[in-house]
Structure formats: structure tokens, C-alpha cells
Amino acid sequence: MDIQRFPDCVRLLDRLGLYLRDHAKVRILVLSEQGEPLVDVNSWEVMEKLHKLAEPERFTTIRLQKSPAMELLLFEGLFQDREIMRYVIRNMNNSKFKVQGSNVILTVKIREDAYDYPTVEEWETYFRTINGKRNWSECTPGERADTVIIKNLPTKWFSLDANNPKPCERFLRDAFTLFGTIRKVDYEDCVEEGELGDDITSLTSQFGIPLTFNAYIQYQNYTSFKAAMSGLKGKQLMRLFPGQKPTFSPFVVDYDRTGFMTDKIHKARKIERERAAEEAKRKHEAYMKQQSELMAKQIEKQKRKRRKLEEKKMAAKKSKKEKSTDCDSALIPLL
């Protein structure tokens, strides 16, 4: 599939086939027709029904939100583009259904939803206020508006090794330098609950390996930070290689309020990671040594078993031969 089919795409990192693309957000209310409380209604079954009602189109993701009342369930849904969103709204709005084990008739109300996104006024006010409370300085990296958090990025899309996925900091730096000069990058694994999707984010972990992570991108100056916050608004990640279908993954953008990327905290985190890596390496080496010793013992046990079996066979042959000789000796006097 050709990238020209998506004119709204922004190239992020060619060699990984990564692009930014607009996506559409909807607010879905599921309420009982008679106003009964929905405490006994399984929200996962409701999400499955919503997926079926959207067919032949698909939600990129759909997740349960905190409901303002017991008589309704509130969901947030994302689509690949606005055209799909408008089609689904026309066909799904005012639909009715039941879930298994319940006689309650549920009605769907769906509409386009605005993005809950940080504003310039919000982060400028925050850092003006917090600098005095925490004794932070706008001259210190990490204690000012300079770090963008991009949540729920697919780990494998930014990994060097598909068999042992781990975000590559170089890939992160190369991708998000689109908005300006980057000072530092870091990440942390994440697990997002209450989500059921048809795409990359439909699972949160597999065989103990996190499928998504949160990226921390610290820019060199405020202009680059502001450009990143603006450029990522209302976007989703798309991966597309020639001759393949595109894959989409939504993400959440915020600014850091914790000092996660201050030099002191970043250095302490790096030391802790190195210590944890050394500990993991030590445990792995000890485990491999234990397995090697166990294997050696098993091999030696098999060898002893075979030797005993051979000795037993030899003893049986010798005994048989001796009995044959005794029989021959007993027949001689009779002759």
C-alpha cells in the first residue's frame, strides 16, 4: 500500500516505516432504556457488542471510562480517520442490544468528542506555580516545560531485536527530533488496563514482555518542546512498509510534572538500571551454571546406568557360558 493514499501523514522515521496521522475520537454512552442501574452488566461484553455494531469498520481502540452515573457506561473510542468515524456514528447511534445473562435493553449514544489535551496556558501556569513550591528553576532542565511524555507507544516498533523487544533510545531520538533538538530521551514500560482493541494496543503484555512503553523526550529549548506538543496533538502512530497494509497505534501526550528527566534523577535511574542489569546477568549466569551442572549429572547418571546394564549383560553371558561348560563336563563320564 502506497503512502500517497494518506495525504495527512507526517514522516517520523522512514527506516522504521513510522508516520504520524490524524485520528478521530468518539464518546459513547451505553444506557438502559428503562433507567435501570448497570452494575451487573459486563463491560467487556458491552465492548464486544460495540465492536460488532461498528462493522465492517473497526475501532483503533475502545476503552471504558469512569461513568458519571450507575445507569450508564461511558466509553472512549478512536478511529483511523474522520471518514470512518462519521460512517460509524451514522450507523451506530441509537442502536439497541442486550448482553448475555441480562434482560436489560441497552441503547447506544455516540458522538464526536473533543481531545483532552494540555494547553500552553496550562503548562506555563503550572511551572510558574510549582517553581516556587518545589524550589525549581526554569534554568534547570527537567524543572521547566521541556519534556514531552508520549504514552502507550508499541515496544516492537522501536526495538532493535524483535525476539527481545526493548525500546531503542536512538530510534526515539531520531524519530522525535522532527520537532527540534533533543537533549535526552528515556522510557518506562507501561500496562494500560480497561482496553479492548483490534490493533496493536489490544494486548498489554505477552509472555511477561510489555507491549507498550512511555517515552520521555526532553528538548533542548522551549520552542522545540512547544512545537512537539502542538505537532503531536490529535495524532496517532502509523507503521507502513511498501506492499503491506498500514497498522495504527494511538498514543497519549502529556508534559512531565515530576522532574523525571532532571540530571540528578536521570543519573540515579541509570545507575539503578545498570545495577538491575548486572543482577539479572548474575542470576542468568547462575541459572545457566545450575542447568549445566544438572545436565552433567544427568549425563553421568545415564552413563552409570548404561555401564550397569552392560555389566549385567556381561555377567549374564558369563553365567550362561559357565553353565554350558558344566553341562559338557557332566556328559563326559557317561561316554
Side-chain angles (χ1 to χ4, degrees):
M1 191 172 288
D2 202 331
I3 190 63
Q4 274 72 33
R5 186 187 165 191
F6 306 99
D8 60 336
C9 282
V10 177
R11 293 180 185 273
L12 201 61
L13 195 58
D14 271 341
R15 66 180 183 275
L16 296 183
L18 295 180
Y19 301 84
L20 291 174
R21 191 185 179 210
D22 293 340
H23 68 167
K25 180 180 174 184
V26 293
R27 175 185 174 93
I28 307 169
L29 287 176
V30 177
L31 56 157
S32 65
E33 205 169 47
Q34 303 300 324
E36 301 100 324
L38 303 183
V39 290
D40 296 326
V41 174
N42 189 312
S43 59
W44 286 94
E45 288 187 28
V46 172
M47 280 194 277
E48 289 283 6
K49 290 285 187 181
L50 293 175
H51 273 292
K52 289 179 181 178
L53 288 172
E55 292 176 351
E57 302 298 347
R58 290 183 174 185
F59 289 97
T60 304
T61 60
I62 180 170
R63 67 183 77 196
L64 179 67
Q65 303 293 299
K66 185 176 181 180
S67 298
M70 296 178 65
E71 294 78 20
L72 59 86
L73 295 173
L74 175 62
F75 296 89
E76 173 191 280
L78 298 177
F79 292 102
Q80 293 177 12
D81 57 50
R82 298 178 67 81
E83 184 179 344
I84 293 175
M85 177 195 70
R86 285 191 285 265
Y87 172 85
V88 173
I89 288 176
R90 284 196 306 269
N91 287 276
M92 184 186 287
N93 195 37
N94 293 319
S95 297
K96 301 180 187 300
F97 65 89
K98 291 182 181 180
V99 294
Q100 187 175 1
S102 174
N103 293 320
V104 177
I105 300 175
L106 302 175
T107 303
V108 178
K109 299 290 184 181
I110 178 171
R111 63 173 174 80
E112 185 175 359
D113 197 14
Y115 288 98
D116 183 16
Y117 200 82
T119 64
V120 177
E121 293 77 14
E122 182 184 330
W123 67 67
E124 287 185 348
T125 301
Y126 176 81
F127 282 102
R128 276 200 306 270
T129 306
I130 204 68
N131 284 350
K133 290 182 177 179
R134 293 187 182 176
N135 199 27
W136 279 8
S137 170
E138 62 180 15
C139 297
T140 305
E143 296 182 358
R144 60 193 182 191
D146 61 7
T147 302
V148 178
I149 309 174
I150 309 170
K151 301 178 181 179
N152 304 329
L153 291 175
T155 304
K156 284 190 175 182
W157 290 13
F158 290 88
S159 175
L160 281 169
D161 184 359
N163 296 319
N164 183 27
K166 178 182 177 183
C168 173
E169 292 186 8
R170 190 180 79 247
F171 288 163
L172 285 172
R173 184 180 289 271
D174 292 349
F176 295 102
T177 196
L178 169 71
F179 302 106
T181 305
I182 291 175
R183 184 174 183 269
K184 280 189 301 192
V185 299
D186 206 343
Y187 67 89
E188 61 180 359
D189 296 327
C190 67
V191 175
E192 189 73 16
E193 296 182 354
E195 182 174 320
L196 183 63
D198 285 313
D199 220 318
I200 187 72
T201 50
S202 60
L203 298 173
T204 53
S205 62
Q206 187 176 38
F207 308 118
I209 302 171
L211 293 188
T212 59
F213 69 99
N214 297 337
Y216 289 76
I217 315 295
Q218 186 180 63
Y219 287 93
Q220 193 73 42
N221 53 57
Y222 178 75
T223 302
S224 299
F225 164 81
K226 187 176 177 181
M229 292 296 292
S230 175
L232 293 169
K233 183 177 180 179
K235 300 293 184 182
Q236 63 181 324
L237 200 60
M238 182 179 82
R239 186 164 72 161
L240 177 64
F241 293 109
Q244 297 183 12
K245 290 184 178 181
T247 313
F248 300 88
S249 181
F251 53 77
V252 178
V253 178
D254 202 355
Y255 61 94
D256 180 44
R257 302 168 176 82
T258 65
F260 188 86
M261 294 295 278
T262 57
D263 290 341
K264 182 180 179 180
I265 295 177
H266 186 264
K267 184 179 179 180
R269 191 164 54 250
K270 186 177 180 182
I271 292 171
E272 177 59 25
R273 280 181 180 167
E274 290 173 353
R275 186 203 64 76
E278 284 296 322
E279 179 66 14
K281 182 181 177 182
R282 186 191 64 77
K283 287 183 178 180
H284 177 71
E285 288 174 349
Y287 172 78
M288 294 305 294
K289 182 180 179 182
Q290 183 185 36
Q291 292 299 306
S292 178
E293 291 174 351
L294 182 62
M295 182 67 71
K297 288 179 180 180
Q298 289 176 342
I299 291 172
E300 183 60 33
K301 185 178 180 180
Q302 290 294 326
K303 285 181 179 179
R304 287 198 302 268
K305 189 175 180 180
R306 283 196 295 269
R307 282 198 298 267
K308 287 182 179 180
L309 188 61
E310 289 296 326
E311 289 171 0
K312 192 174 180 180
K313 287 182 179 179
M314 291 295 292
K317 284 183 180 180
K318 184 177 180 181
S319 176
K320 187 176 180 181
K321 187 175 181 181
E322 288 175 350
K323 286 181 179 179
S324 178
T325 304
D326 292 344
C327 288
D328 290 342
S329 301
L331 289 173
I332 291 172
L334 297 174
L335 295 173

